[in-house]
Amino acid sequence: MSISRVGFLGLGTMGTPMAKNLKKKGFQVVVWNRSLARAEALKADGIEVAATPAELAGKVDAYCTCVADPAALEGVAAGLLEKARPGQLFIDFSTVSVPMVESLAARFGAKGVDFADAPVTGSRSGAEKGTLVIMTGCSAATLARATPIFQAVGEKVIHCGEVGTGTQVKLAGNALIAGMLQCFSEGLLLTKKAGVDPRKLIEVVQASGFRSPYFDFKGKAILERDFTTHFSIDLMHKDLSLFLDNAAAHKVPTPTAASLRETYNLARATGHGEQDIAAVITAFEDLVGTKVN
């Protein structure tokens, strides 16, 4: 079954630009969002709005979800199942749990719908530019069907294996990002507290073997106090929790990730949950009475 009409459900920081890129690449796009205003705003781009997930499922060849957490995805999936039909394709771009995507694959598979878990990385700027990295778990046949959609929203697709493997990799990757940012933030704060310009630390890091574009990106945000949300503290806390649940299921000790989650708990408790993860440093700045900038 060829795919020309694509539905997109979840129009947050990532979902809105992804839906727009699908339209730009020639797909007929139908969207749904819990907050109707975000969906209605896309009508100016020639994108159709559905009143419910079920209505959307009845109009398209494939549907993509990009929602905040497992509870939100479960609610959307229930509506999609009402009108799911053989030959459709379901791509989930959200970051949820491995058992959940395996369950979705089974439930939609029973209706003849192909399923791919396909979490992404690249944050808001990557979604806007269509340069996301997509890690997907699905069969080879499903990958072939999904590739045109993947190419419309991302620049690199990594096939990790069967359903669930994309989610496994994404959760591990986010734990790594959290660790990098935390050590980087602690180093900047200590450098500043000790009377050294933190820009010198960034300069040394970026001239060394452990350099990363991530440190330029987040270092600039921290120094300029620009905590515009690319990926929120609340969502990182959710992903670290999912990572720890996954680790417990496989009996893998993850003490670093457990500590990191408590750091994000602290940032949430001090009112920074909706800000970008770069704002996690503010919780520690408050404790020591020093700001990095």
Side-chain angles (χ1 to χ4, degrees), residues 57-72:
K59 292 183 173 184
V60 299
D61 309 310
Y63 26 84
C64 308
T65 48
C66 187
V67 297
D69 53 40

Side-chain angles (χ1 to χ4, degrees), residues 30-227:
V30 183
V31 298
W32 175 88
N33 192 65
R34 183 173 57 182
S35 171
L36 182 60
R38 287 192 176 185
E40 294 283 349
L42 296 185
K43 284 184 174 180
D45 296 284
I47 292 174
E48 184 180 346
V49 176
T52 65
E55 179 186 317
L56 181 147
K59 292 183 173 184
V60 299
D61 309 310
Y63 26 84
C64 308
T65 48
C66 187
V67 297
D69 53 40
L73 181 56
E74 187 62 51
V76 170
L80 293 173
L81 269 173
E82 291 180 27
K83 292 292 182 69
R85 62 183 186 275
Q88 287 184 316
L89 171 65
F90 181 1
I91 300 173
D92 177 42
F93 289 117
S94 315
T95 303
V96 291
S97 70
V98 174
M100 180 166 197
V101 296
E102 291 174 340
S103 173
L104 289 175
R107 282 182 278 164
F108 281 83
K111 290 211 169 189
V113 177
D114 292 331
F115 179 85
D117 68 307
V120 300
T121 189
S123 77
R124 185 183 66 183
S125 60
E128 291 171 348
K129 296 174 184 176
T131 57
L132 294 169
V133 175
I134 301 164
M135 54 218 86
T136 186
C138 60
S139 69
T142 299
L143 176 63
R145 296 191 69 204
T147 293
I149 292 174
F150 290 158
Q151 291 175 336
V153 299
E155 66 177 0
K156 186 173 182 62
V157 180
I158 300 172
H159 186 209
C160 301
E162 294 300 315
V163 169
T165 57
T167 296
Q168 293 272 14
V169 171
K170 175 62 188 295
L171 293 175
N174 274 8
L176 175 60
I177 289 170
M180 288 172 62
L181 179 60
Q182 186 59 32
C183 290
F184 183 56
S185 297
E186 291 173 7
L188 290 173
L189 184 55
L190 176 58
T191 302
K192 177 70 174 183
K193 182 73 172 180
V196 181
D197 185 347
R199 292 168 181 80
K200 294 301 179 182
L201 173 61
I202 297 174
E203 185 178 350
V204 170
V205 167
Q206 297 301 70
S208 304
F210 43 94
R211 64 186 176 273
S212 167
Y214 193 71
F215 295 136
D216 276 334
F217 177 37
K218 293 304 182 185
K220 184 175 185 290
I222 291 169
L223 291 172
E224 296 181 357
R225 318 306 289 175
D226 180 7
F227 300 131

